[in-house]
Amino acid sequence: MTVFRRNTLLQLCSIASFFPLAAASKVSSTVKVHLPKELQRPNGYDHREALFGIPPYGGSIQQNVIYTSDDLCEPALPANNHWKAPFILMVDRGGCTFVQKVRNGQHAGAAAVIIADNTCQCKHDKICTPEGTTSCEQHEPIMADDGSGFDITIPSVLLFKQDADPIKEALNKKKPVRMELGWSLPNPDDHVELDLWTSPTDYASLQFKEDFRDAMLALASRVTFVPHMYIYDGIDAMCRTQDGTNLCESICTNQGRYCSTDPDGNFDSGISGADVVVESLNRLC
């Protein structure tokens, strides 16, 4: 297995840009509460958009909200549901993928789904009340496609815990809650922005990336193309101890800080996850 120098400043600065936090914070939509009055906010609610589904760009969805305590991880609807479409469905995060929850909400007749985060973000520690002994999260959850979201035709968003809790409280008190989700149209100009999420082991996209090169050269200044590499945070995955020990062996660099799946499943030989992380850095540079 190749040995790498894993503590250089270049790696630390460059690999940090792999994580899609900035992309997650970019939204072209609005989330507003119309009822009850006490939950209205002039500028709407901070939220994160799903990376799957089909939003009605240039339009909006305004409906009453239904909250379910069911995790919506099973296709069967909750036994006590009396939901009459159309409605906006609010469901707690956790138990299964975002795609699975939204798909089941779509099948139940929802026009849109709001995922209520049930974990505080550490950056919100002064305004968010955690549940029990739950620790805060350093990084925002990303409503990514799990690979099966091609059949999702409704939009969905995630609300942070401190914003979702008062809405859930009003709904649990049987108060009518009416919300509006709106999406703006992209700016009408002659410039296109493209993002590609990939990895060195994304063999299915090799031919596409080879063919796409000529298209990019032809489009030149009319396109901004930003590639992103999929790796994961070793600290969140508990691959790095507080004293800097790497518990995940060859799949991580920087003492367990940046990790990737071992492509051949063999930690002792062949290409390692650490190799994938370093090759991702090489390709971005």
Side-chain angles (χ1 to χ4, degrees):
M1 182 179 66
T2 306
V3 178
F4 297 93
R5 297 181 181 275
R6 297 170 180 163
N7 294 304
T8 64
L9 180 60
L10 175 61
Q11 283 183 319
L12 284 170
C13 293
S14 300
I15 294 175
S17 69
F18 294 178
F19 293 102
L21 298 179
S25 63
K26 295 179 181 179
V27 292
S28 60
S29 56
T30 57
V31 174
K32 297 180 179 179
V33 172
H34 292 286
L35 291 173
K37 184 178 180 181
E38 60 268 21
L39 293 180
Q40 292 178 358
R41 294 183 182 178
N43 298 317
Y45 283 75
D46 190 14
H47 63 285
R48 298 294 177 261
E49 300 171 357
L51 302 180
F52 55 88
I54 306 176
Y57 289 109
S60 64
I61 296 173
Q62 183 182 150
Q63 296 292 339
N64 280 16
V65 180
I66 294 173
Y67 169 68
T68 177
S69 58
D70 187 270
D71 61 14
L72 279 193
C73 291
E74 299 296 332
L77 296 179
N80 61 344
N81 100 82
H82 301 286
W83 306 340
K84 184 178 180 181
F87 56 89
I88 295 174
L89 185 62
M90 177 174 279
V91 59
D92 290 323
R93 173 190 172 195
C96 57
T97 67
F98 293 119
V99 169
Q100 197 167 345
K101 289 176 181 288
V102 176
R103 177 183 292 113
N104 291 333
Q106 176 177 298
H107 291 168
V113 171
I114 297 174
I115 303 294
D117 201 353
N118 49 18
T119 303
C120 292
Q121 298 295 303
C122 294
K123 63 182 180 181
H124 298 150
D125 62 336
K126 294 183 179 179
I127 57 175
C128 185
T129 303
E131 297 181 3
T133 58
T134 305
S135 300
C136 65
E137 289 183 326
Q138 292 288 345
H139 304 297
E140 294 180 5
I142 298 172
M143 292 189 67
D145 193 336
D146 64 3
S148 69
F150 60 88
D151 61 332
I152 306 298
T153 59
I154 64 171
S156 54
V157 299
L158 179 139
L159 282 186
F160 294 116
K161 187 177 188 300
Q162 68 274 8
D163 297 322
D165 282 355
I167 297 174
K168 287 162 54 177
E169 182 180 359
L171 290 165
N172 286 330
K173 291 180 178 179
K174 307 301 182 184
K175 291 184 178 181
V177 174
R178 191 167 182 86
M179 297 182 67
E180 180 179 1
L181 281 61
W183 288 264
S184 61
L185 284 171
N187 291 330
D189 56 26
D190 60 355
H191 191 84
V192 178
E193 298 176 356
L194 300 175
D195 292 84
L196 174 66
W197 298 90
T198 185
S199 78
T201 57
D202 182 14
Y203 304 119
S205 69
L206 283 177
Q207 189 61 50
F208 166 77
K209 286 184 279 191
E210 289 180 7
D211 296 341
F212 188 60
R213 177 180 179 276
D214 292 336
M216 278 300 305
L217 292 175
L219 292 169
S221 61
R222 292 186 178 274
V223 171
T224 298
F225 174 64
V226 182
H228 306 269
M229 294 293 172
Y230 279 116
I231 65 170
Y232 61 89
D233 188 334
I235 293 179
D236 282 354
M238 296 184 289
C239 285
R240 180 175 178 171
T241 64
Q242 291 185 344
D243 62 3
T245 301
N246 179 7
L247 299 179
C248 295
E249 303 181 23
S250 62
I251 68 170
C252 300
T253 68
N254 298 83
Q255 289 77 47
R257 181 65 178 89
Y258 307 106
C259 310
S260 181
T261 303
D262 191 304
D264 53 20
N266 190 334
F267 281 24
D268 299 319
S269 63
I271 300 174
S272 68
D275 293 339
V276 175
V277 174
V278 174
E279 178 60 23
S280 298
L281 171 64
N282 291 334
R283 295 190 182 193
L284 285 180
C285 292

